[in-house]
Amino acid sequence: SKASGPGVLSGTVTVTAVAGVATFSTAQFDTAGTYTIAATATGLTSVTSGTIVVALAPVTIAAWNVFGVGSTTLPTFTATTFDSKLDNTSGLSDITRGLDAPWSNANNSFRTAGFKNDGISVANNDYFQTTLKSDAGYSLSLSSIDAFFGGTATYSNSSGVDSQFAYSLDGTTFTLIGSPINVVGTSGNATLPTIDLTGVSALQNLPSGATLYLRYYATGQTTTGGWGFRSATAATTDDEWVGGYDCEGR
């Protein structure tokens, strides 16, 4: 039985020992935290375990696979993977565009020619944006971002493209995350190294009802070259802007 800790211990917690060993193969806790458990057996002294730390494993809670779209007008794009504990009303799962990042034609892409080569600033209107908000009774923590890109070769040539994400909790004041990450395209395609968000305190344990705004900014080598998210196939391994986030019950 649970001796201490925040959550509930479920599963089969009474078993018959075999050769002196009792195995609890279905026992589990429903909440991350630090626990101790108590063990009792007829004719034996009860004991309490040392501390057991249960941590949440990061999962993909939001992802966008754009394979098969992009060659016709695409002002927004709805998530293809979206955690059931996230609010998906009123387009919250969509990727949208800033005023200076209009659609540009490219297969299997969410692209614009609006990023240009004018640097990265939260004052710019050349960005892609999405919003995340957990359902009632849940908090939201972000752990990482991954993305695949596609664009014109001249835009991402030997000097590459600088990419940077930003966040806001009010939709107005945005804070850039870390430093710009430079990627050099191969035939215009590139993969963003995973961005670790676990050290960004503002993105951890957001309460239910809080809306998180995420923006993507880029700057490359030309004023007119196209650039954006790309999916080479329909497989989830080619998802765009993959969020390896945690969503835990509270």
Side-chain angles (χ1 to χ4, degrees):
S1 62
K2 186 187 79 172
S4 66
V8 175
L9 175 63
S10 62
T12 301
V13 295
T14 300
V15 299
T16 300
V18 177
V21 177
T23 302
F24 301 88
S25 59
T26 64
Q28 62 181 358
F29 294 105
D30 66 349
T31 302
T34 300
Y35 295 86
T36 60
I37 56 176
T40 60
T42 302
L44 299 175
T45 302
S46 300
V47 296
T48 300
S49 72
T51 57
I52 301 170
V53 177
V54 176
L56 289 174
V59 296
T60 298
I61 67 168
W64 295 260
N65 188 296
V66 293
F67 184 76
V69 301
S71 60
T72 57
T73 302
L74 192 67
T76 65
F77 187 74
T78 301
T80 50
T81 298
F82 209 63
D83 193 276
S84 62
K85 302 178 185 68
L86 292 176
D87 186 342
N88 64 357
T89 59
S90 303
L92 286 176
S93 70
D94 292 353
I95 297 178
T96 60
R97 301 172 181 273
L99 292 176
D100 293 335
W103 165 79
S104 64
N105 188 343
N107 290 329
N108 309 319
S109 299
F110 190 87
R111 186 186 290 193
T112 185
F115 286 133
K116 303 183 180 179
N117 61 349
D118 55 355
I120 291 174
S121 169
V122 294
N124 292 352
N125 286 319
D126 53 345
Y127 58 79
F128 298 153
Q129 176 174 293
T130 194
T131 50
L132 299 172
K133 181 171 72 170
S134 59
D135 286 335
Y138 292 89
S139 68
L140 177 65
S141 296
L142 278 62
S143 62
S144 63
I145 295 175
D146 295 270
F148 301 99
F149 299 114
T152 54
T154 53
Y155 189 77
S156 58
N157 67 11
S158 59
S159 296
V161 176
D162 286 342
S163 297
Q164 196 166 11
F165 286 84
Y167 68 87
S168 174
L169 298 179
D170 61 11
T172 301
T173 302
F174 281 81
T175 301
L176 291 168
I177 299 171
S179 300
I181 298 173
N182 182 266
V183 293
V184 177
T186 300
S187 299
N189 300 324
T191 300
L192 184 75
T194 298
I195 299 173
D196 184 356
L197 300 177
T198 57
V200 183
S201 59
L203 303 182
Q204 311 305 315
N205 299 310
L206 296 172
S208 59
T211 301
L212 172 65
Y213 301 81
L214 283 175
R215 284 183 180 175
Y216 169 75
Y217 295 91
T219 184
Q221 301 305 308
T222 66
T223 60
T224 58
W227 185 254
F229 299 128
R230 175 181 180 269
S231 297
T233 73
T236 56
T237 51
D238 286 320
D239 285 349
E240 303 307 314
W241 201 344
V242 177
Y245 312 140
D246 298 332
C247 193
E248 59 180 349
R250 285 296 172 99

